[in-house]
């Protein structure tokens, strides 16, 4: 058999990962996101057993791409069994699909076609999308109902784990079991930087907030600790972020040759799998990195930490531009709903021209988000110092809502009406303009003169209000 190119990927990732019960949600998310790393790594491991000379092109983002010279028919039969088991364990939301091609470009096209056969395996059989109840694979104590919580605790507890060793005690799929190891040299599958002479390299974000040496912080605790530190009310946010036009970029590298493609893929993996976790650990230790790999990431944390994290990742990313969606949610709200909203916001950011962020329904450029955060802090400080009435933030929230995409106020009317309301407010309330920062004064002047600054007003008012803890969640 001549050299061919083969790929396998997981389907139904979002509904599987984020549809978790509120109880122990943080630990269960950790378990599910780790599973999404382990399964493709195990597939790659099986490919290497069949074809020791297999050329690994890419491993991350729930998929594996390899160049092979051996027949994988027997392995694909095993993967059908894996896919059925994954579907059963996840309530029908998770499955595998695969494809092959004569060239890497043909493989990517075939894999994309297989992906869009939504709910079907490569052989056409249906695995369904029914929603995902709690995943309960075989525990070390057979049938234990809290496998996810225990496994998620272990992944969080052992932040130094560098890889997995097959044949261990944690069952993932089929006959494969994995055991977390602290020494990369003892692992059959490596994570992060691959060792010289072999090993499969894949990104496993290893940083999550810990309460102590044994316990992962819950989302409630993350929100409450941030509020106690003065960052604002105990409200959470979901960040979804990915690189712009990565597929186009990688196809261009592929045209230059396999080495160029693998080099570009490796840089992406290093950034999302190594650099991002390091950034969070050093600067935002209470951000919960649910997933980071391939060319995208999902994170949960206090709303202000999430906003600052998004800005920092945007600045640090060196492979082009990034787009993002950020949704806010209360501590008792389902994570899945917040993730779905963030996903929709991410798509809106891309539709509006990329290199943008959509926050709470408002799409803006990254510099505009940075300005909105600075203004909200300064306005909150001015209100607390008595230089602005606290009702100013509520006015900004209300008038800014007219400029959202979903607003029923006609675009031709909103600027005029908003400016009139603001002028009336200034004339009737105690606004000490000379005590305001130059940035706030300039912003209020802009609101009197043009429409564009109003597109920040809703977010500015909301964040200032939350900073002053005026809204109870």
């Amino acid at each position: 058999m001549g050299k061919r190119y083969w790929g396998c990927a997981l389907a139904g990732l979002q509904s599987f990962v984020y549809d978790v019960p509120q109880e122990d949600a943080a630990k269960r998310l950790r378990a599910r996101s780790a599973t999404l790393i382990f399964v493709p790594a195990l597939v790659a491991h099986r490919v290497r057993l069949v074809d020791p000379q297999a050329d690994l092109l890419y491993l991350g983002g729930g998929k594996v791409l390899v160049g092979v010279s051996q027949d994988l028919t027997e392995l694909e039969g095993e993967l059908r069994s894996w896919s059925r088991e994954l579907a059963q364990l996840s309530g029908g939301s998770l499955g595998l699909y695969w494809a092959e091609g004569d060239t890497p470009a043909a493989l990517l096209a075939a894999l994309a076609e297989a992906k869009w056969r939504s709910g079907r395996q490569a052989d056409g059989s249906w695995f369904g999308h029914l929603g995902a109840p709690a995943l309960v694979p075989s525990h070390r104590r057979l049938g234990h109902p809290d496998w996810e919580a225990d496994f998620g605790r272990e992944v969080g507890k052992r932040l130094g784990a560098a890889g997995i060793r097959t044949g261990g005690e944690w069952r993932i799929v089929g006959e494969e079991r994995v055991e977390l190891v602290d020494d990369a040299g003892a692992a059959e599958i490596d994570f992060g930087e691959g060792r010289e002479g072999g090993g499969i390299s894949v990104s496993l974000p290893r940083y999550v907030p810990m309460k102590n040496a044994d316990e992962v912080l819950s989302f409630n605790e993350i929100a409450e600790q941030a509020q106690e530190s003065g960052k604002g009310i105990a409200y959470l946010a979901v960040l979804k972020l990915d690189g712009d036009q990565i597929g186009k970029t990688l196809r261009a590298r592929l045209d230059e040759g396999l080495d160029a493609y693998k080099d570009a893929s490796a840089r992406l993996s290093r950034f999302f799998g190594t650099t991002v976790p390091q950034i969070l650990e050093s600067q935002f230790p209470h951000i919960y990195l649910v997933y980071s790999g391939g060319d995208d990431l999902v994170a949960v944390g206090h709303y202000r930490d999430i906003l600052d994290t998004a800005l920092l990742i945007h600045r640090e990313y060196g492979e082009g531009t990034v787009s993002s969606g950020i949704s806010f949610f209360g501590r008792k709200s389902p994570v899945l709903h917040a993730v779905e909203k963030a996903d929709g916001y991410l798509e809106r950011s891309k539709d509006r021209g990329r290199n943008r962020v959509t926050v709470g329904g408002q799409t803006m450029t990254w510099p505009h988000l940075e300005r909105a955060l600075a203004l909200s802090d300064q306005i909150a400080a001015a209100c607390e110092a008595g230089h602005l009435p606290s009702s100013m933030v509520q006015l900004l929230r209300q008038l800014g809502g007219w400029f959202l995409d979903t607003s029923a106020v006609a675009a031709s009317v909103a600027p005029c009406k908003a400016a009139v309301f603001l002028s009336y407010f200034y004339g009737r309330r105690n606004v000490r303009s000379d005590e305001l920062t130059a940035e706030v004064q300039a912003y209020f002047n802009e609101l009197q003169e043009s429409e564009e600054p109003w597109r920040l007003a809703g977010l500015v008012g909301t964040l200032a209000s939350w900073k002053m803890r005026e809204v109870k969640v």
Side-chain angles (χ1 to χ4, degrees):
M1 176 181 176
K3 189 167 187 177
R4 293 181 60 77
Y5 298 90
W6 183 89
C8 180
L10 282 159
L13 305 187
Q14 181 156 305
S15 58
F16 163 71
V17 175
Y18 305 109
D19 190 8
V20 296
Q22 288 301 104
E23 183 180 359
D24 283 333
K27 298 170 190 173
R28 294 180 188 279
L29 277 174
R30 188 64 172 161
R32 293 193 182 195
S33 61
T35 299
L36 297 188
I37 300 295
F38 294 153
V39 171
L42 291 172
V43 172
H45 177 61
R46 284 304 182 98
V47 170
R48 280 268 176 90
L49 292 179
V50 175
D51 184 356
Q53 302 306 312
D55 185 15
L56 182 64
L57 306 182
Y58 179 80
L59 184 57
K63 88 175 50 165
V64 54
L65 307 177
V66 291
V68 296
S69 57
Q70 302 295 322
D71 184 14
L72 299 183
T73 302
E74 184 174 343
L75 173 61
E76 289 178 352
E78 183 179 5
L79 295 182
R80 289 186 178 89
S81 175
W82 282 23
S83 189
R84 286 191 294 271
E85 184 174 353
L86 285 169
Q88 181 180 20
L89 293 172
S90 65
S93 67
L94 195 64
L96 291 168
Y97 62 94
W98 52 89
E100 63 177 30
D102 294 328
T103 65
L107 166 63
L108 293 175
L111 203 58
E113 181 180 353
K115 175 182 179 180
W116 290 113
R117 289 199 297 269
S118 179
R120 295 185 182 275
Q121 297 173 193
D123 65 355
S125 60
W126 180 258
F127 63 76
H129 286 281
L130 309 175
L135 176 66
V136 187
S138 296
H139 192 270
R140 50 185 157 187
R141 299 194 301 277
L142 186 63
H144 194 289
D146 294 321
W147 182 88
E148 283 180 335
D150 283 355
F151 187 38
R153 181 184 298 109
E154 281 293 307
V155 177
K157 176 181 176 181
R158 301 178 64 179
L159 297 179
I164 60 175
R165 181 168 51 236
T166 58
E169 59 190 358
W170 297 103
R171 180 182 179 189
I172 297 296
V173 67
E175 295 302 314
E176 292 294 345
R177 295 170 181 270
V178 298
E179 179 183 354
L180 295 170
V181 298
D182 296 314
D183 179 9
E188 295 178 7
I189 302 176
D190 301 331
F191 294 91
E193 299 292 335
R195 299 193 318 280
E196 181 180 354
I200 295 173
S201 179
V202 65
S203 301
L204 175 63
R206 289 172 291 180
Y207 184 73
V208 294
M210 300 294 292
K211 183 191 309 185
N212 51 49
D214 297 318
E215 286 295 315
V216 177
L217 273 176
S218 70
F219 291 149
N220 273 351
E221 290 166 329
I222 290 173
E224 289 168 358
Q225 287 184 11
Q227 177 173 290
E228 291 169 1
S229 68
K231 292 183 177 180
I233 61 171
Y235 215 45
L236 295 162
V238 168
L239 165 67
K240 291 202 74 173
L241 178 147
D242 66 24
D244 291 326
Q245 296 186 308
I246 294 300
K248 181 179 180 180
T249 299
L250 290 178
R251 285 193 295 273
R253 299 291 82 77
L254 189 58
D255 291 339
E256 299 171 10
L258 278 180
D259 287 343
Y261 178 86
K262 288 194 285 187
D263 179 65
S265 297
R267 289 200 306 272
L268 284 173
S269 294
R270 282 195 297 271
F271 180 79
F272 285 100
T274 302
T275 303
V276 168
Q278 288 174 347
I279 288 173
L280 297 187
E281 185 169 3
S282 64
Q283 300 193 44
F284 297 101
H286 282 178
I287 287 291
Y288 192 103
L289 189 59
V290 179
Y291 176 79
S292 183
D295 66 338
D296 63 346
L297 65 86
V298 178
V300 177
H302 185 262
Y303 74 89
R304 184 54 194 255
D305 282 343
I306 284 290
L307 292 167
D308 288 333
T309 293
L311 283 169
L312 181 57
I313 292 174
H314 162 256
R315 289 193 293 267
E316 294 293 327
Y317 184 68
E319 301 298 320
T321 62
V322 294
S323 295
S324 176
I326 299 173
S327 65
F328 304 123
F329 70 106
R331 293 170 289 168
K332 297 182 180 180
S333 302
V335 176
L336 177 60
H337 180 61
V339 171
E340 288 174 338
K341 287 183 67 175
D343 188 53
Y345 292 160
L346 172 59
E347 290 305 312
R348 187 184 301 178
S349 295
K350 290 183 176 292
D351 291 343
R352 300 293 167 83
R354 300 186 179 89
N355 196 24
R356 284 166 169 74
V357 54
T358 299
V359 183
Q362 185 65 50
T363 304
M364 61 191 70
T365 64
W366 290 101
H368 281 157
L369 174 60
E370 192 164 13
R371 187 185 188 196
L373 294 187
L375 285 169
S376 68
D377 286 344
Q378 293 171 33
I379 288 174
C383 291
E384 291 173 346
H387 303 152
L388 274 177
S390 59
S391 51
M392 170 61 82
V393 297
Q394 302 304 335
L395 183 71
L396 289 175
R397 293 181 72 184
Q398 179 182 352
L399 299 183
W402 293 354
F403 296 86
L404 295 177
D405 297 334
T406 56
S407 174
V409 178
S412 60
V413 177
C416 298
K417 290 182 66 177
V420 169
F421 271 107
L422 187 66
S423 295
Y424 178 78
F425 183 92
Y426 252 76
R428 295 294 299 271
R429 300 297 179 92
N430 180 30
V431 178
R432 298 170 57 183
S433 297
D434 59 326
E435 299 288 348
L436 302 179
T437 65
E439 290 81 1
V440 172
Q441 291 184 49
Y443 180 64
F444 285 157
N445 290 336
E446 290 172 26
L447 291 177
Q448 300 281 359
E449 299 168 358
S450 61
E451 174 181 347
E452 190 60 31
W454 281 105
R455 302 192 182 281
L456 300 182
L459 181 62
V460 169
T462 296
L463 296 180
S465 176
W466 291 354
K467 178 74 171 178
M468 296 186 296
R469 307 181 187 183
E470 290 191 347
V471 178
K472 304 302 181 184
V473 180

